[in-house]
Amino acid sequence: MVKQHVLLLGATGETGGSILNGLLADPESFDVAALVRPTSAKKSQVQDLVRRGVTIRVVDLDGALEDVVGSLAGIDVLINAIGAGGQLAQLTLAMAAKQAGVKRFVPCAFATVAPPGGVMQLRDAKEEIYQLIRRLYLPYTVIDVGYWHQISFPTLPSGRIDYAAVVLNMIEIHAEGTMPTMLTDLRDIGPFVARIIKDPRTLNKFVVAYADVLCENEIFALMEEMSGEVIQRKYVPADAIIDSRARHMATLKVEPDNGAVRFTSIMDDYMYSKYVRGDNTPAYAAYLGYLDARALYPEFRPRSFRDFFAELLEGKGVKPYPALDLAALYQRE
Ligand SMILES: NC(=O)c1ccc[n+]([C@@H]2O[C@H](COP(=O)([O-])OP(=O)(O)OC[C@H]3O[C@@H](n4cnc5c(N)ncnc54)[C@H](OP(=O)(O)O)[C@@H]3O)[C@@H](O)[C@H]2O)c1
């Protein structure tokens, strides 16, 4: 089989790290390089990539277009896993990918399923890239993954899973807790992506990958059954989610550089889309035209939320974003 030359942006990040593992696990199919910005080229995480056999290509996405085009020479597939705040840096990359003849551009989706047009600010930023891709007639695949298991669990009263929680005392149930939502283990994004980018059926398509479809009431019940603990519940009604979302968006208009309000506003959007509107479901994904990765790759068994939670109880969980204090940014009521 001819190897695909894959270039990954974001290999030192959470989503990109999972994708990197998925690609490196299939060396017969992929030759892997990482796109790194000049300011990060000397980071120890980048040196770790080199030790794992990854070639490094350094480029400044804010620099000259021809330099970005040059950094894509010989690349078949370009995968973008850039942090939530950096989406628009992909505009230059998409233009460069067209010029360089990239055969498949995977923009940075990797989020929940939601429609464009005012539901989620993050989804609307991603939409700018998707629209540019289509104007360019650039071959693409958009991959969404639901919400990670790793950020979908409440904490337990004993505190025994606090070590893996991004935010502590997370006991909120949103809008009655009955809305089903797609979930994926962060570690399974990579194996899904490796399958999707080899597959001609997914070219110029949206694909959704997920392990479970659970509502918050089911997650709390499952965790109580497995842990033997009773989790306190703080109910957040739909009206409160809508009010909070409007308030934080209004504040952002006057304080666009307020990082805490921006992060909280992104979280408001997620709660509104997932739990008030109910966007993040297989049925709505199908309606929007997504292919279902579970149907495409029935042989692949992603980790269930139950299995993930069993690992957490055994002390084997890993907290995402270890260097970031997201709890300090999240302004919950
Ligand atoms: N589905 C979910 O539950 C969920 C959860 C979180 C995020 N997401 C989605 O996943 C996507 C990726 O987010 P993440 O949180 O996984 O990312 P992350 O951990 O914050 O990592 C971001 C990566 O992008 C790189 N990067 C940022 N700006 C760059 C630039 N200008 N040039 C080159 N590299 C740059 C960073 O490299 P450096 O080493 O240089 O910093 C890092 O490798 C987001 O867009 C978000 O929508 C989804």
Side-chain angles (χ1 to χ4, degrees), residues 105-172:
F105 186 90
V106 180
C108 186
F110 305 113
T112 51
V113 165
V119 174
M120 293 181 68
Q121 298 153 84
L122 183 54
R123 176 65 181 80
D124 288 347
K126 293 177 191 289
E127 183 68 16
E128 285 198 42
I129 320 302
Y130 305 166
Q131 291 192 5
L132 174 63
I133 288 169
R134 286 164 161 160
R135 286 199 297 278
L136 292 168
Y137 203 163
L138 176 64
Y140 71 92
T141 304
V142 170
I143 305 170
D144 276 314
V145 297
Y147 215 57
W148 304 343
H149 291 344
Q150 281 78 357
I151 49 175
S152 294
F153 61 87
T155 43
L156 293 175
S158 65
R160 63 178 154 147
I161 57 169
D162 284 0
Y163 73 94
V166 168
V167 180
L168 296 178
N169 303 318
M170 199 67 158
I171 50 166
E172 283 93 340

Side-chain angles (χ1 to χ4, degrees), residues 61-109:
L61 297 179
D62 297 325
L65 180 63
E66 68 222 51
D67 291 342
V68 184
V69 175
S71 74
L72 305 183
I75 293 302
D76 300 311
V77 183
L78 173 58
I79 304 176
N80 297 274
I82 197 162
Q87 300 300 306
L88 299 185
Q90 296 172 83
L91 292 170
T92 311
L93 264 177
M95 289 185 285
K98 180 69 184 178
Q99 288 191 29
V102 168
K103 300 190 187 80
R104 191 189 300 242
F105 186 90
V106 180
C108 186

Side-chain angles (χ1 to χ4, degrees), residues 169-216:
N169 303 318
M170 199 67 158
I171 50 166
E172 283 93 340
I173 292 219
H174 303 86
E176 317 278 325
T178 54
M179 201 62 92
T181 192
M182 292 183 284
L183 301 174
T184 300
D185 193 300
L186 173 58
R187 294 166 292 179
D188 286 330
I189 296 176
F192 270 125
V193 169
R195 285 166 174 77
I196 291 167
I197 64 167
K198 278 201 293 194
D199 186 345
R201 295 173 297 177
T202 60
L203 195 60
N204 303 328
K205 298 279 193 273
F206 282 54
V207 184
V208 65
Y210 59 97
D212 283 305
V213 184
L214 293 171
C215 67
E216 286 181 305

Side-chain angles (χ1 to χ4, degrees), residues 12 14-15 37 40 43 82 87 108 110 126 146 148 321:
T12 57
E14 295 290 340
T15 304
R37 49 182 157 183
S40 296
K43 275 168 95 169
I82 197 162
Q87 300 300 306
C108 186
F110 305 113
K126 293 177 191 289
W148 304 343
Y321 309 109

